[in-house]
Amino acid sequence: MNLQPPPIHVIGGGLAGTEATWQIARAGIPVVLHEMRPLQTSPAHHTEELAELVCSNSFGAQASDRAAGLLHEELRQLGAIVIQTADRHQVPAGGALAVDRAIFSRDLTETLANHPLIELRRGEVRQIPPEGIVVLTTGPLTTDPLAEDLQRFTGMQYMSFFDAASPIVLGESIDFETAFRASRYDKGDADYINCPMNKDQYLHFWQELCAAEQAELKDFERETAKFFEACLPIEEMAKRGEDTMRYGPLKPVGLTDPRTSERFYAVVQLRQEDKAGNLWNMVGFQTNLRWGEQKRVFRLIPGLENAEFIRMGVMHRNTFINSPELLESTLQFKKRPTLLAAGQLTGTEGYTAATAGGWLAGTNAARLARGLEPVTLPTTTMMGSLFEFISSASPKHFQPMPPNFGIIPELPVKVKNKRERYGKYRDRALNDLTQWRDRLLTIPANV
Ligand SMILES: Cc1cc2nc3c(=O)[nH]c(=O)nc-3n(C[C@H](O)[C@H](O)[C@H](O)COP(=O)(O)OP(=O)(O)OC[C@H]3O[C@@H](n4cnc5c(N)ncnc54)[C@H](O)[C@@H]3O)c2cc1C
């Protein structure tokens, strides 16, 4: 009697798809990995290899008391093939985990292609397969036919094709000697953080913003940006005139200093991004400025002099779904639990986060095939907190999120020193992950 379940289909052989495929095969389930390259290519990819790194060759900081480094360590503990392969093909890069990209991708391609349970099928998938267990990992440049089908499946309003995001600042790095909590005209519960400016401060900020260096948009991004006229970059708004920002996102009306009742010349507002109130989004500050320039110019804003940026502002092509509306923290679609998604398509950001999503979606797809309950990770881990964030953030303002310590639950006892606190987050995460993994081992799975 043949007890082999039917194959799971993974669509997209990037970082998330490669990891998901490996975890499924590792659990003993046959899997078909669909990758359109080289028959069709994306505007950012250049090779036919799996897990191609489209831009930088770095997976971010290695130290395990850094957000990216902790995620690397968690993935090593869980046997993620992408990180194990990255470790093998590392090149010197200071404190970062950087790889020889050609050897890294070729190694992964060969390893997957040689696995007896993996079929690598080249060709574009234009529709979500209507039956069976399917994992979608087609990334930020998902092709149009599949994106349209996904729109039909999810509802038009739950897909984004362009990421016009403002920087996100860590709340504890804001100086509340200057900044204050209030809502315009005192509506709501002092929901915003306000950074006030006098005329001299505003004019200095305006001049520096107008002169700051912009990042180059790629052709395909320039095309997409045309459809996004409502979302003007802050530097473009500044260039339209000295006062344009004061009549837009920096308008000071309805806000007075609660300590002195003073009125201001301009005010930058920050809106809460996460439930715990650790992350704050600079309202209206979507931007094309280079990252170094963003840090330099935005730190001229009173109250943000020492701001720690969790995510810089971006304006680029990025197909992603509204995960808080659509996904469980297991990465299953609420509407169809046998359909899962991972990677940039789900609103996580970066290579390592995509790998982590692939691990969880692959693991859960395999568990479904075996008739087991899908799992979530402890929210005290970087992986668990990331998937908790994307599945429970505010759907109204949902923007992609990289791994960071602002989304991890607080420690039971406050630790003031940042490096020490991050070390304790790391210790708790790795301890909780080990226990979780060992418990999972008692149930047949792939860990
Ligand atoms: C221009 C650009 C630069 C970036 N630079 C960086 C960076 O430097 N560092 C960083 O951490 N992140 C960067 N990112 C984000 C990056 O895309 C992700 O971190 C990572 O690649 C996401 O992995 P993924 O598996 O979700 O998607 P991808 O790696 O893009 O993989 C998706 C795969 O699906 C395939 N595919 C798409 N549609 C179909 C279809 N219909 N049928 C079959 N196959 C399909 C694609 O060919 C691709 O192989 C960049 C993104 C872009 C667009």
Side-chain angles (χ1 to χ4, degrees), residues 11-17 34-37 44-45 52 54-56 123-125 137-143 146 218 220-221 317 342-345 350-351 354:
I11 304 174
L15 289 154
H34 300 260
E35 169 52 54
M36 67 179 182
R37 293 175 289 120
H45 291 82
E52 178 179 333
V54 284
C55 185
S56 150
E124 183 191 12
V125 174
T137 51
T138 42
L141 304 171
T142 297
T143 57
L146 186 63
K218 299 208 167 34
F220 65 93
E221 290 172 337
R317 169 82 185 275
Q344 197 95 355
L345 185 63
Y351 300 153

